[in-house]
Amino acid sequence: MSYIANAHTTWKTVGGEEELLILTPYLTGPLAQQLLDQNSGGRVYTCFQPETFASRASDLNVIRDLVGAGHQVFHLPGLHAKVLIAGDRLASVGSQNMTVRGTKNRELTFIAYEKALVERAHRKVALWLDQATPITLKMIEDMVAMLPELQALYDQFSAACEPALKMVERHLALAKSACTDARDKAQAETRSRIVAALQAAPVSADYTRGIVKYRPASDQTTLMCNYKSPLNWTIENRPQQLTRLHRYLCVNESGRLGWARVASTRISMIGTGIDFEPGLIKEKPEWRVRVEANGAFPDGCPHGANLVVHVVCSGEQLCWIPLRFTLSECKTYSPRRHVDKEDNPALGKAARTWITANKEAFERSVVRGVTVSFQYQSNLIGVDAEDFFGARGTFHVLKVALVEGSPVLTARRGWFWPG
């Protein structure tokens, strides 16, 4: 079973002896005809209502062609489900109608191939089908006769709605702008706190300088450090040695976080997340934790958050937690449910309850995890240097600061370290 955004691509692969059962409130375009023709026929259930044709949500010509070709087409009152069932082999349940717009809209459909799930879907819709009425050519002809006047009235109504529609669009644009401004302001505050924390932390007296360069051998950009090795540092008159090819938390001048791979002469492949083995949260050693930074965070993420922590146990998604991590402090927001991934609601609720009650211990574990150096299983994980530091050919100056006792790389664009 799977979720897909374009169900019609799977529908078109269905072909053979299975009889199709199709439920779609709206019908336009040739898709339904194609599917029925490449199978051993089937039944189509739709909405045969004046407003659907007046608004052009459905096309009478499509229904007439289906009926004229000998296919069974029915009117099912109150139909809103979008379902396709091919015998006992496949069931498709989701938001996509068999329309031209349905192939372009933001749709999501669940496709099941397991026989038990297909049969369950069939039983669900079978309860409705006794209420259906066959659509005849006479019904279609009568509707065709009335349709020009209905469409003219609908077009007049749509034109009358146009000023209100524009007003709504203006309000939505203002609301979006306000939301964007609030997010940008919160993110700017988070970044400024990170910069302030770095300025207050013990920082290396020495620095190295790098240039973002393309390396044909690896087909990637790296920060080439030919001034001095990025492995050797001095902080408060003490040597600080970094481990070659380990990952270290790295902060660029805008406050963006990543985990950079450090070599003798270069820094490359900046990771945007960490998958921890069980044991990061010592009080919950069975939990696996993933931390993501600066990514496409889930809906509902607070504006000021710059890390998201996902908690998993035995393959089950328990919850996710937004964090605002500014090096000197960490704010944990309330744990959230994985609404579309939650397999065990009771276990997810127990996890959220524990994290809320043990927020400080949870924060300490996560902060320790993201600041201590480590190695990915693959050296090739992460974004190119130009995606993190800046365009090819730009120079950057790097120092090392101690945060929670761990070395953190900090980079600023330019030739010298300011001040």
Side-chain angles (χ1 to χ4, degrees), residues 173-213:
L174 289 171
K176 182 178 180 180
S177 176
C179 184
T180 300
D181 290 346
R183 183 190 64 237
D184 291 347
K185 182 179 179 181
Q187 287 293 316
E189 181 185 355
T190 298
R191 290 193 294 269
S192 68
R193 287 174 179 251
I194 290 173
V195 172
L198 286 171
Q199 292 172 345
V203 180
S204 60
D206 47 351
Y207 64 87
T208 188
R209 183 185 301 118
I211 182 172
V212 179
K213 295 183 68 175

Side-chain angles (χ1 to χ4, degrees), residues 297-308 320 322-323 336:
F297 293 159
D299 291 339
C301 193
H303 293 326
N306 59 347
L307 295 178
V308 166
W320 62 278
L323 271 74
R336 270 72 164 166

Side-chain angles (χ1 to χ4, degrees), residues 338-357:
H338 275 290
V339 177
D340 58 340
K341 300 178 182 178
E342 192 172 50
D343 299 318
N344 190 325
L347 199 60
K349 183 178 180 180
R352 297 194 301 274
T353 300
W354 186 90
I355 292 168
T356 301

